[in-house]
Amino acid sequence: LQPAARNATFCSVGDSASDTTQEVWDDLFLQLDGPEIWRCDLDDNDAGFDQLVEYIMEWSELPATSKGLTTPIRLERSTPIRPMGVTKQRALQFLYLPTATGDRYMSKDEERAREREMDSGGTKSSTTTTPPRKKSTKEGGLEILLEVTESPKVGMRVRARRCNYGPGVVIKELTEETLLSRIKKTIDVWQNEISPK
């Protein structure tokens, strides 16, 4: 049973699948949950886990008050289901808040088509309008997971995955990229300057 594989499609092609261990399969299916969009395996064993958790929890307060994001966010601690092979886990979520443009968002192509139609003097046709969607309480988010694994090769890891997306909600790519670049820099600082050696 792979709980992370519910409502997911996974395809394996080739002849190497017979050599793949259950641990590898479990990890591949784990990456489908969210989906996972970034991972950093840390060299440290779990001795520095509490320090890492404290460091990341303090850091997480900064983006919530930052002005560099295109989507407003709210920070929440989360308690996800601990996957197989993980002995310790802490998590936090950056939940995206509704914006005034959310349900009126148009892609660049849709915007150009609408402009061409308006320039030609036509009225707005039903083919270029996006149907109004119900206000979703799930506007999306990014979940950061700090974990200690049973694997001797990995030890501790930090993962980022999408969370809290409702049907039809547009992925907030710019906000996601900004948060990911900030967590990557934060992990680099922790590894190079703070991590117990």
Side-chain angles (χ1 to χ4, degrees):
L1 175 67
Q2 293 288 348
R6 272 179 268 178
N7 298 325
T9 302
F10 181 75
C11 178
S12 175
V13 178
D15 59 353
S16 64
S18 61
D19 299 336
T20 307
T21 65
Q22 186 62 42
E23 181 182 356
V24 171
W25 281 115
D26 291 343
D27 189 57
L28 288 170
F29 278 100
L30 178 64
Q31 293 175 34
L32 292 174
D33 189 20
E36 182 178 306
I37 55 176
W38 178 76
R39 175 185 291 210
C40 179
D41 294 333
L42 305 174
D43 298 333
D44 302 336
N45 58 16
D46 68 337
F49 183 70
D50 292 332
Q51 284 181 312
L52 176 63
V53 168
E54 183 180 339
Y55 186 69
I56 296 298
M57 293 303 173
E58 285 179 20
W59 166 84
S60 67
E61 303 291 330
L62 296 175
T65 59
S66 168
K67 293 187 181 199
L69 301 174
T70 57
T71 304
I73 61 173
R74 179 180 75 238
L75 175 66
E76 285 190 9
R77 306 286 194 252
S78 64
T79 53
I81 297 170
R82 188 181 301 169
M84 293 181 288
V86 171
T87 58
K88 294 181 185 177
Q89 183 182 57
R90 298 289 183 280
L92 59 102
Q93 293 180 338
F94 295 104
L95 298 177
Y96 305 143
L97 301 175
T99 60
T101 60
D103 58 346
R104 294 187 314 257
Y105 175 79
M106 281 192 266
S107 70
K108 191 185 333 180
D109 293 338
E110 292 170 330
E111 212 170 277
R112 284 184 184 150
R114 182 173 180 216
E115 286 174 5
R116 278 193 296 264
E117 189 174 297
M118 296 303 242
D119 289 344
S120 66
T123 59
K124 200 173 177 182
S125 72
S126 61
T127 58
T128 59
T129 61
T130 53
R133 64 178 171 95
K134 291 182 179 178
K135 198 64 172 167
S136 176
T137 58
K138 293 186 170 193
E139 291 292 323
L142 187 66
E143 184 171 41
I144 308 297
L145 301 122
L146 312 167
E147 300 171 329
V148 175
T149 68
E150 294 173 351
S151 170
K153 292 184 264 181
V154 176
M156 290 193 310
R157 70 180 173 206
V158 180
R159 299 187 304 128
R161 67 181 181 185
R162 291 186 178 131
C163 66
N164 201 49
Y165 274 92
V169 174
V170 176
I171 293 173
K172 318 301 191 283
E173 291 182 44
L174 292 175
T175 300
E176 189 175 89
E177 288 171 12
T178 302
L179 289 170
L180 280 174
S181 73
R182 290 180 185 178
I183 189 72
K184 288 175 187 177
K185 287 177 187 173
T186 302
I187 294 299
D188 285 344
V189 169
W190 188 82
Q191 281 187 300
N192 296 326
E193 299 175 15
I194 299 168
S195 169
K197 303 291 181 204

